[in-house]
Structures are given as C-alpha cells and as structure tokens.
Amino acid sequence: MGIGKVAVIGSGIMGHGISQVVATAGINVALNDISDQVLEKAKSHIAASLDRGIQRGKLTEEDKKSILGRISYTTDIAQAVKDADLVVEAAPENLELKHSIFRKLDQYCKPEAILASNTSQYSITELASVVANPSRVIGMHWFNPPVAMKLIEIIRGLETSDAVLNEIETFSAAVGKETVVCKDSQGFISTRVLVAMRLECYRLVEEGIATPEDIDKTLRLAFGHPMGQFELADFSGLDIEPAACEALTKTFGDRFRAPQILLHRVKAGKLGRKSGEGWYKYDK
C-alpha cells in the first residue's frame, strides 16, 4: 500500500528519535503523548539533535526547517492516527498500558493501517490479541538512539500477514535502516542476547573478579563494542532491567535471574545517567 504518513505514540527518547528518522526520510509524522509539556520537551530534543547534525555538516538549516515541518504534535491520539498508514507504539514497557493503546488504535485507525510496537520484550501475539484484525500487528524494535542505530528488529506475531511484514521491511529500508526478522519469542534476538551477556558482566563484578571499568574496557578493545555493558546500562537506565530479567526468567529459567548487585542499585535509586549515578557517577 505504501506508507505516506506515520503516527508515533509516546514521545520519549525512542518516540521522538523514531519521529526524527521518519521525518528526515521525507515522511510526515504525527507524534502523540499525554501532555503538551511532554511534547514540547520532545520537540526541543529533536531540534537539538538536528542542530548537532548541522554542526557535523550532515544537515543544513533548510534541511532542519523541512524536517521539523513534517512533524506535528498532538495529545489527541485519535487525531494523531486518523490518516496514518503506520502507527508505531513507543510507550513505556508496561503491558497494561500497551494493551490500552492498542485498543484505542483498533478503534481510531483506518482498517488497513499497520500497527507496530517498539517493545523490546513483550509478545507481539499477545499485544495483537486485543485488536479485531491481529494480522496487521507487528513488532518493530528500534534501538537507542534511533537516529544513530542502523538496525530495526522486526518481530512477526503468530498472525502477522506476509503483506505487513513485506511493507515494514520496505519502509525500514526507505528510512535508512537495516532489518532482521524473528519469530515471536520472549526477548526476540537482541534482548535475549544482550541480557545474557550483561548479566554475566554483572556476575563478574559481584564475584569480585573484575571492576566495571576493566570489563567495559575488555568489551571495547577485545571485542570491538562501541560501549561496555556497564556504560550502556547506565545510558539506557538500570530501572528497566529487573522487569526484563523477570520475564526472561519465567520463560528460560534461572540463567536470566537478576543478580542482587543490580537489584540493590535499582532500590537505591542508582539508575544510571538520568539519576546521576548507576555503575558510574555523572555530573548532573
């Protein structure tokens, strides 16, 4: 059918980043969230990101103006998705919240619109269970930050149609991204592999084998990772990890159980960059 307009539900770091990527590719985007204040914050983040692109010589002032002109902002979800060909849900990782959003999308979107979730862990089949036509629901897991990361992980639910999968692959290429496709399984590819590696890094510290600094240095210099796992955890936020570990543990067993060293940090409010301290300390 072709995707000429996109709606993004949730304007946090993922939502506003996805919106910027789509608008940069020349596609109109409606960004929706619960308050004008939250949307204004997202708007300022997008403008600042575009300014960095100008400073690096990747964009011009005219490019910035055009990109910003393709993004609209609204607290009215019905208005946001009214004419959208694709809706990307980028709300916080809360299953009840996502179910509520998908029920609204089923009510307000046109019947042929594709409904995608940016979830990194929840079953696409389960999310699709609350809509009348689950064949139009798909997982579209972007990576943080969406503007810089090249991959989109596409997750096919039990009833996702071939046409929807093909459309999302084509769209992803059109906005400059590479894709991988996997079946609907807890943690998909990326979260399952990432959490397994990260928990082993945490256990090395818990057992007194090495420091976070030396483990991160090993990952960067021996394996070519751009960031170590402790750096990356602080960037993403430690508070999102226990729920992901719990869900993976229910499916795959104790190898994914969160270690006490992580749980204690979360309980102490040491959540990473956003709190000023996680595995490392930061200037607020």
Side-chain angles (χ1 to χ4, degrees):
M1 72 178 183
I3 293 173
K5 180 183 175 183
V6 174
V8 178
I9 311 303
S11 66
I13 188 169
M14 298 305 296
H16 70 68
I18 292 168
S19 299
Q20 181 182 332
V21 170
V22 174
T24 300
I27 301 169
N28 290 329
V29 187
L31 183 55
N32 165 260
D33 215 314
I34 58 174
S35 74
D36 289 326
Q37 182 180 9
V38 171
L39 288 170
E40 279 299 319
K41 186 176 180 181
K43 189 174 183 179
S44 68
H45 281 304
I46 293 172
S49 176
L50 294 173
D51 284 338
R52 289 192 293 273
I54 293 171
Q55 292 167 7
R56 294 168 185 159
K58 295 182 178 181
L59 298 171
T60 66
E61 286 287 351
E62 189 61 33
D63 291 332
K64 176 185 175 182
K65 183 178 178 181
S66 297
I67 292 166
L68 291 177
R70 285 190 282 270
I71 306 174
S72 60
Y73 303 83
T74 179
T75 57
D76 185 341
I77 191 171
Q79 183 63 34
V81 306
K82 181 180 178 182
D83 299 316
D85 302 306
L86 167 65
V87 181
V88 181
E89 171 271 309
E93 292 286 71
N94 178 292
L95 187 58
E96 290 184 8
L97 173 61
K98 290 180 185 292
H99 273 160
S100 174
I101 291 170
F102 271 86
R103 289 189 184 97
K104 291 176 182 177
L105 299 183
D106 198 38
Q107 178 182 357
Y108 297 132
C109 291
K110 57 186 181 182
E112 65 272 25
I114 296 172
L115 310 181
S117 176
N118 180 54
T119 183
S120 63
Q121 63 168 311
Y122 289 123
S123 166
I124 302 305
T125 302
E126 185 171 5
L127 291 176
S129 69
V130 301
V131 306
N133 177 15
S135 71
R136 64 173 175 157
V137 180
I138 196 165
M140 197 177 187
H141 179 208
W142 299 62
F143 292 84
N144 186 16
V147 173
M149 300 298 281
K150 291 293 291 183
L151 186 68
I152 294 176
E153 185 179 37
I154 300 174
I155 304 95
R156 185 170 191 167
L158 184 63
E159 298 186 65
T160 303
S161 71
D162 290 341
V164 165
L165 174 61
N166 293 338
E167 194 71 54
I168 291 302
E169 288 182 306
T170 300
F171 170 79
S172 299
V175 299
K177 301 301 183 184
E178 300 277 349
T179 58
V180 293
V181 178
C182 69
K183 294 180 180 179
D184 190 13
S185 175
Q186 186 68 47
F188 316 135
I189 302 170
S190 59
T191 299
R192 188 168 167 182
V193 171
L194 176 69
V195 172
M197 176 171 57
R198 185 170 294 174
L199 292 184
E200 202 57 40
C201 291
Y202 291 173
R203 292 183 188 110
L204 285 170
V205 173
E206 193 168 56
E207 294 166 15
I209 305 298
T211 64
E213 291 84 355
D214 280 348
I215 297 168
D216 278 353
K217 188 175 182 179
T218 300
L219 293 175
R220 290 194 307 271
L221 301 184
F223 304 127
H225 294 189
M227 296 176 71
Q229 283 303 308
F230 295 92
E231 294 173 297
L232 187 56
D234 278 357
F235 182 78
S236 301
L238 273 63
D239 50 322
I240 67 174
E241 295 185 0
C245 291
E246 182 179 359
L248 286 163
T249 299
K250 286 180 180 178
T251 305
F252 301 114
D254 281 349
R255 59 185 162 144
F256 286 105
R257 191 172 302 282
Q260 289 295 308
I261 195 172
L262 167 64
L263 298 177
H264 287 163
R265 268 177 167 71
V266 172
K267 289 175 182 177
K270 297 180 179 182
L271 308 180
R273 286 183 176 274
K274 60 186 172 185
S275 68
E277 182 178 356
W279 296 103
Y280 300 109
K281 292 184 178 182
Y282 304 90
D283 294 327
K284 281 193 174 183

